[in-house]
Amino acid sequence: QAQLVESGGGFVQPGGSLKLSCKASGSIANIFAGYDLRWFRQAPGNEREFVARIDMAHITDYRDSVKGRFSNSSDNAEATVWLEMTNLNPEDTAVYYCNARKVRVFAKDDNFWGLGTQVTVSL
């Protein structure tokens, strides 16, 4: 059973920082390097939106609103991906989800999701 578990969420004041982690276990852990790793978030009343991505070559991409504030990294040996968030503002409040995806040409894609971790930015 493949599993992704997010952690590190919580309460922070505007301008503060949090570091989220997503650790893989089970069948995905030993093939972690073969997956694109993405972060999404969903705020109350909003649709899920893309936040950040790190690919198999450790090349990162971010949505425009978090560029310069968020940093994505991963460690294959630890089977973990991190999202470092700085200069947080209330608009960053959401449940953050990690996703591991492997697109296959000749078979069904692998696509795993964690259950999310809550980030609340407020005074």
Side-chain angles (χ1 to χ4, degrees), residues 78-113:
E78 297 291 332
T80 301
V81 58
W82 296 273
L83 184 67
E84 299 180 52
M85 306 184 296
T86 62
N87 297 318
L88 288 162
N89 60 68
E91 293 183 351
D92 296 315
T93 295
V95 177
Y96 284 71
Y97 302 90
C98 68
N99 167 254
R101 180 181 65 176
K102 175 174 284 187
V103 177
R104 303 180 185 273
V105 177
F106 302 111
K108 187 177 180 180
D109 293 349
D110 287 347
N111 198 9
F112 302 105
W113 291 88

Short mmCIF file of all heavy atoms in Angstrom, two decimals, residues 78-113:
data_model
loop_
_atom_site.label_atom_id
_atom_site.label_comp_id
_atom_site.label_asym_id
_atom_site.label_seq_id
_atom_site.Cartn_x
_atom_site.Cartn_y
_atom_site.Cartn_z
N GLU A 78 15.34 9.83 1.70
CA GLU A 78 14.37 9.98 2.76
C GLU A 78 12.94 9.79 2.27
O GLU A 78 12.01 9.75 3.08
CB GLU A 78 14.50 11.35 3.41
CG GLU A 78 15.83 11.60 4.09
CD GLU A 78 16.01 10.75 5.32
OE1 GLU A 78 15.00 10.38 5.95
OE2 GLU A 78 17.17 10.43 5.66
N ALA A 79 12.76 9.69 0.96
CA ALA A 79 11.43 9.57 0.35
C ALA A 79 10.52 10.69 0.84
O ALA A 79 9.36 10.46 1.21
CB ALA A 79 10.82 8.20 0.62
N THR A 80 11.05 11.90 0.85
CA THR A 80 10.35 13.03 1.42
C THR A 80 10.48 14.25 0.51
O THR A 80 11.55 14.49 -0.07
CB THR A 80 10.90 13.38 2.81
OG1 THR A 80 10.76 12.25 3.67
CG2 THR A 80 10.15 14.55 3.42
N VAL A 81 9.42 15.01 0.40
CA VAL A 81 9.43 16.29 -0.27
C VAL A 81 9.00 17.35 0.73
O VAL A 81 8.12 17.12 1.56
CB VAL A 81 8.51 16.29 -1.52
CG1 VAL A 81 7.08 15.92 -1.16
CG2 VAL A 81 8.57 17.63 -2.24
N TRP A 82 9.65 18.52 0.67
CA TRP A 82 9.37 19.62 1.58
C TRP A 82 8.90 20.84 0.81
O TRP A 82 9.29 21.07 -0.33
CB TRP A 82 10.61 20.02 2.37
CG TRP A 82 11.12 18.97 3.29
CD1 TRP A 82 10.74 18.75 4.59
CD2 TRP A 82 12.14 18.01 3.01
NE1 TRP A 82 11.46 17.71 5.12
CE2 TRP A 82 12.33 17.23 4.17
CE3 TRP A 82 12.91 17.72 1.88
CZ2 TRP A 82 13.25 16.20 4.25
CZ3 TRP A 82 13.84 16.69 1.95
CH2 TRP A 82 13.99 15.95 3.12
N LEU A 83 8.06 21.61 1.43
CA LEU A 83 7.66 22.90 0.91
C LEU A 83 7.93 23.94 1.99
O LEU A 83 7.21 24.00 3.00
CB LEU A 83 6.18 22.91 0.51
CG LEU A 83 5.68 24.20 -0.13
CD1 LEU A 83 6.34 24.42 -1.49
CD2 LEU A 83 4.16 24.19 -0.26
N GLU A 84 8.98 24.73 1.80
CA GLU A 84 9.31 25.80 2.72
C GLU A 84 8.55 27.06 2.32
O GLU A 84 8.66 27.51 1.18
CB GLU A 84 10.82 26.07 2.71
CG GLU A 84 11.66 24.89 3.14
CD GLU A 84 13.15 25.20 3.13
OE1 GLU A 84 13.54 26.22 3.75
OE2 GLU A 84 13.91 24.44 2.51
N MET A 85 7.80 27.60 3.24
CA MET A 85 6.94 28.74 2.97
C MET A 85 7.36 29.89 3.87
O MET A 85 7.43 29.73 5.09
CB MET A 85 5.47 28.38 3.21
CG MET A 85 5.02 27.14 2.43
SD MET A 85 3.25 26.81 2.65
CE MET A 85 3.20 26.45 4.40
N THR A 86 7.61 31.04 3.27
CA THR A 86 7.99 32.24 4.00
C THR A 86 7.08 33.38 3.60
O THR A 86 6.37 33.32 2.60
CB THR A 86 9.45 32.62 3.74
OG1 THR A 86 9.63 32.92 2.35
CG2 THR A 86 10.39 31.50 4.14
N ASN A 87 7.12 34.44 4.40
CA ASN A 87 6.29 35.62 4.15
C ASN A 87 4.84 35.25 3.90
O ASN A 87 4.19 35.74 2.98
CB ASN A 87 6.85 36.42 2.97
CG ASN A 87 8.24 36.97 3.23
OD1 ASN A 87 8.52 37.45 4.32
ND2 ASN A 87 9.09 36.90 2.23
N LEU A 88 4.34 34.40 4.75
CA LEU A 88 2.97 33.92 4.58
C LEU A 88 1.96 35.02 4.82
O LEU A 88 2.17 35.92 5.65
CB LEU A 88 2.71 32.75 5.52
CG LEU A 88 3.41 31.44 5.14
CD1 LEU A 88 3.45 30.49 6.33
CD2 LEU A 88 2.70 30.79 3.96
N ASN A 89 0.88 34.96 4.08
CA ASN A 89 -0.21 35.90 4.24
C ASN A 89 -1.52 35.14 4.35
O ASN A 89 -1.57 33.94 4.06
CB ASN A 89 -0.23 36.91 3.09
CG ASN A 89 -0.42 36.27 1.73
OD1 ASN A 89 -1.47 35.72 1.43
ND2 ASN A 89 0.61 36.35 0.88
N PRO A 90 -2.59 35.80 4.77
CA PRO A 90 -3.85 35.08 4.96
C PRO A 90 -4.36 34.37 3.72
O PRO A 90 -5.08 33.38 3.84
CB PRO A 90 -4.82 36.18 5.42
CG PRO A 90 -3.94 37.16 6.12
CD PRO A 90 -2.66 37.17 5.32
N GLU A 91 -4.00 34.85 2.53
CA GLU A 91 -4.43 34.18 1.30
C GLU A 91 -3.77 32.82 1.12
O GLU A 91 -4.22 32.04 0.28
CB GLU A 91 -4.14 35.07 0.09
CG GLU A 91 -4.97 36.34 0.05
CD GLU A 91 -4.72 37.16 -1.20
OE1 GLU A 91 -3.78 36.84 -1.95
OE2 GLU A 91 -5.47 38.14 -1.41
N ASP A 92 -2.73 32.54 1.88
CA ASP A 92 -2.10 31.23 1.84
C ASP A 92 -2.82 30.20 2.71
O ASP A 92 -2.46 29.02 2.69
CB ASP A 92 -0.64 31.32 2.29
CG ASP A 92 0.20 32.17 1.36
OD1 ASP A 92 0.07 32.02 0.13
OD2 ASP A 92 0.99 33.00 1.87
N THR A 93 -3.80 30.63 3.48
CA THR A 93 -4.55 29.72 4.32
C THR A 93 -5.29 28.70 3.47
O THR A 93 -6.06 29.06 2.58
CB THR A 93 -5.54 30.48 5.20
OG1 THR A 93 -4.83 31.33 6.11
CG2 THR A 93 -6.41 29.52 6.00
N ALA A 94 -5.04 27.43 3.74
CA ALA A 94 -5.64 26.36 2.95
C ALA A 94 -5.21 25.02 3.53
O ALA A 94 -4.31 24.95 4.38
CB ALA A 94 -5.21 26.45 1.48
N VAL A 95 -5.84 23.98 3.06
CA VAL A 95 -5.33 22.63 3.27
C VAL A 95 -4.36 22.34 2.14
O VAL A 95 -4.71 22.48 0.96
CB VAL A 95 -6.46 21.59 3.31
CG1 VAL A 95 -5.89 20.19 3.45
CG2 VAL A 95 -7.42 21.88 4.45
N TYR A 96 -3.16 21.93 2.49
CA TYR A 96 -2.12 21.65 1.51
C TYR A 96 -1.99 20.14 1.32
O TYR A 96 -1.88 19.39 2.29
CB TYR A 96 -0.78 22.24 1.96
CG TYR A 96 -0.71 23.74 1.76
CD1 TYR A 96 -1.46 24.59 2.56
CD2 TYR A 96 0.09 24.29 0.78
CE1 TYR A 96 -1.42 25.95 2.39
CE2 TYR A 96 0.14 25.66 0.59
CZ TYR A 96 -0.61 26.49 1.40
OH TYR A 96 -0.55 27.85 1.21
N TYR A 97 -1.99 19.72 0.07
CA TYR A 97 -1.92 18.32 -0.30
C TYR A 97 -0.67 18.07 -1.13
O TYR A 97 -0.30 18.88 -1.97
CB TYR A 97 -3.13 17.90 -1.14
CG TYR A 97 -4.47 18.11 -0.47
CD1 TYR A 97 -5.16 19.30 -0.62
CD2 TYR A 97 -5.05 17.09 0.28
CE1 TYR A 97 -6.39 19.49 -0.03
CE2 TYR A 97 -6.29 17.28 0.88
CZ TYR A 97 -6.95 18.47 0.72
OH TYR A 97 -8.17 18.66 1.31
N CYS A 98 -0.04 16.93 -0.92
CA CYS A 98 1.04 16.52 -1.80
C CYS A 98 0.55 15.42 -2.73
O CYS A 98 -0.37 14.65 -2.41
CB CYS A 98 2.28 16.08 -1.03
SG CYS A 98 2.14 14.55 -0.08
N ASN A 99 1.17 15.37 -3.89
CA ASN A 99 0.79 14.43 -4.93
C ASN A 99 2.05 13.87 -5.58
O ASN A 99 2.98 14.62 -5.88
CB ASN A 99 -0.08 15.14 -5.98
CG ASN A 99 -0.25 14.35 -7.25
OD1 ASN A 99 0.34 14.67 -8.28
ND2 ASN A 99 -1.07 13.31 -7.19
N ALA A 100 2.08 12.58 -5.78
CA ALA A 100 3.15 11.91 -6.51
C ALA A 100 2.56 11.29 -7.76
O ALA A 100 1.63 10.49 -7.67
CB ALA A 100 3.82 10.85 -5.63
N ARG A 101 3.12 11.66 -8.91
CA ARG A 101 2.55 11.24 -10.18
C ARG A 101 3.64 10.70 -11.09
O ARG A 101 4.71 11.29 -11.21
CB ARG A 101 1.84 12.40 -10.86
CG ARG A 101 1.21 12.05 -12.20
CD ARG A 101 0.55 13.26 -12.84
NE ARG A 101 1.53 14.29 -13.18
CZ ARG A 101 1.23 15.42 -13.82
NH1 ARG A 101 -0.04 15.67 -14.16
NH2 ARG A 101 2.17 16.31 -14.08
N LYS A 102 3.34 9.60 -11.73
CA LYS A 102 4.18 9.07 -12.79
C LYS A 102 3.31 8.85 -14.01
O LYS A 102 2.39 8.04 -14.00
CB LYS A 102 4.86 7.77 -12.38
CG LYS A 102 5.66 7.12 -13.51
CD LYS A 102 6.44 5.90 -13.04
CE LYS A 102 7.67 6.32 -12.27
NZ LYS A 102 8.54 5.16 -11.94
N VAL A 103 3.59 9.61 -15.06
CA VAL A 103 2.86 9.49 -16.31
C VAL A 103 3.47 8.36 -17.13
O VAL A 103 4.67 8.34 -17.37
CB VAL A 103 2.89 10.81 -17.10
CG1 VAL A 103 2.17 10.63 -18.44
CG2 VAL A 103 2.25 11.91 -16.29
N ARG A 104 2.65 7.44 -17.52
CA ARG A 104 3.08 6.29 -18.29
C ARG A 104 2.47 6.35 -19.69
O ARG A 104 1.30 6.72 -19.84
CB ARG A 104 2.69 4.99 -17.60
CG ARG A 104 3.23 4.84 -16.19
CD ARG A 104 2.80 3.52 -15.59
NE ARG A 104 3.19 3.41 -14.20
CZ ARG A 104 4.35 2.95 -13.79
NH1 ARG A 104 5.27 2.56 -14.67
NH2 ARG A 104 4.62 2.88 -12.49
N VAL A 105 3.24 5.96 -20.68
CA VAL A 105 2.76 5.96 -22.05
C VAL A 105 1.94 4.71 -22.35
O VAL A 105 0.90 4.79 -23.00
CB VAL A 105 3.94 6.07 -23.03
CG1 VAL A 105 3.45 6.00 -24.47
CG2 VAL A 105 4.71 7.37 -22.80
N PHE A 106 2.37 3.58 -21.84
CA PHE A 106 1.76 2.31 -22.20
C PHE A 106 1.01 1.64 -21.05
O PHE A 106 0.67 0.47 -21.13
CB PHE A 106 2.83 1.35 -22.74
CG PHE A 106 3.56 1.88 -23.93
CD1 PHE A 106 4.89 2.24 -23.84
CD2 PHE A 106 2.92 2.02 -25.14
CE1 PHE A 106 5.57 2.74 -24.93
CE2 PHE A 106 3.57 2.51 -26.25
CZ PHE A 106 4.91 2.87 -26.15
N ALA A 107 0.75 2.37 -20.00
CA ALA A 107 0.00 1.84 -18.87
C ALA A 107 -0.70 2.99 -18.16
O ALA A 107 -0.44 4.16 -18.41
CB ALA A 107 0.93 1.09 -17.91
N LYS A 108 -1.57 2.64 -17.23
CA LYS A 108 -2.28 3.63 -16.45
C LYS A 108 -1.32 4.40 -15.56
O LYS A 108 -0.40 3.83 -14.97
CB LYS A 108 -3.36 2.95 -15.60
CG LYS A 108 -4.27 3.90 -14.86
CD LYS A 108 -5.34 3.13 -14.10
CE LYS A 108 -6.27 4.06 -13.36
NZ LYS A 108 -7.32 3.30 -12.62
N ASP A 109 -1.53 5.72 -15.46
CA ASP A 109 -0.66 6.55 -14.65
C ASP A 109 -0.74 6.16 -13.17
O ASP A 109 -1.79 5.76 -12.66
CB ASP A 109 -1.05 8.02 -14.77
CG ASP A 109 -0.80 8.59 -16.13
OD1 ASP A 109 -0.13 7.94 -16.96
OD2 ASP A 109 -1.27 9.73 -16.38
N ASP A 110 0.39 6.30 -12.48
CA ASP A 110 0.39 6.28 -11.02
C ASP A 110 0.08 7.69 -10.53
O ASP A 110 0.64 8.67 -11.03
CB ASP A 110 1.75 5.85 -10.47
CG ASP A 110 2.01 4.37 -10.64
OD1 ASP A 110 1.07 3.62 -10.95
OD2 ASP A 110 3.18 3.97 -10.46
N ASN A 111 -0.79 7.80 -9.54
CA ASN A 111 -1.20 9.10 -9.05
C ASN A 111 -1.65 8.95 -7.60
O ASN A 111 -2.75 8.47 -7.33
CB ASN A 111 -2.33 9.66 -9.92
CG ASN A 111 -2.52 11.15 -9.75
OD1 ASN A 111 -1.72 11.83 -9.12
ND2 ASN A 111 -3.59 11.68 -10.33
N PHE A 112 -0.79 9.36 -6.67
CA PHE A 112 -1.04 9.18 -5.25
C PHE A 112 -1.20 10.53 -4.57
O PHE A 112 -0.50 11.50 -4.90
CB PHE A 112 0.10 8.41 -4.59
CG PHE A 112 0.34 7.05 -5.18
CD1 PHE A 112 1.41 6.81 -6.02
CD2 PHE A 112 -0.52 6.01 -4.90
CE1 PHE A 112 1.63 5.57 -6.58
CE2 PHE A 112 -0.32 4.75 -5.45
CZ PHE A 112 0.76 4.53 -6.29
N TRP A 113 -2.09 10.58 -3.60
CA TRP A 113 -2.38 11.80 -2.86
C TRP A 113 -2.28 11.56 -1.37
O TRP A 113 -2.66 10.50 -0.86
CB TRP A 113 -3.80 12.29 -3.16
CG TRP A 113 -3.99 12.81 -4.55
CD1 TRP A 113 -4.34 12.09 -5.65
CD2 TRP A 113 -3.85 14.16 -4.99
NE1 TRP A 113 -4.43 12.91 -6.75
CE2 TRP A 113 -4.13 14.19 -6.37
CE3 TRP A 113 -3.51 15.35 -4.35
CZ2 TRP A 113 -4.09 15.37 -7.12
CZ3 TRP A 113 -3.47 16.52 -5.08
CH2 TRP A 113 -3.76 16.52 -6.45
#
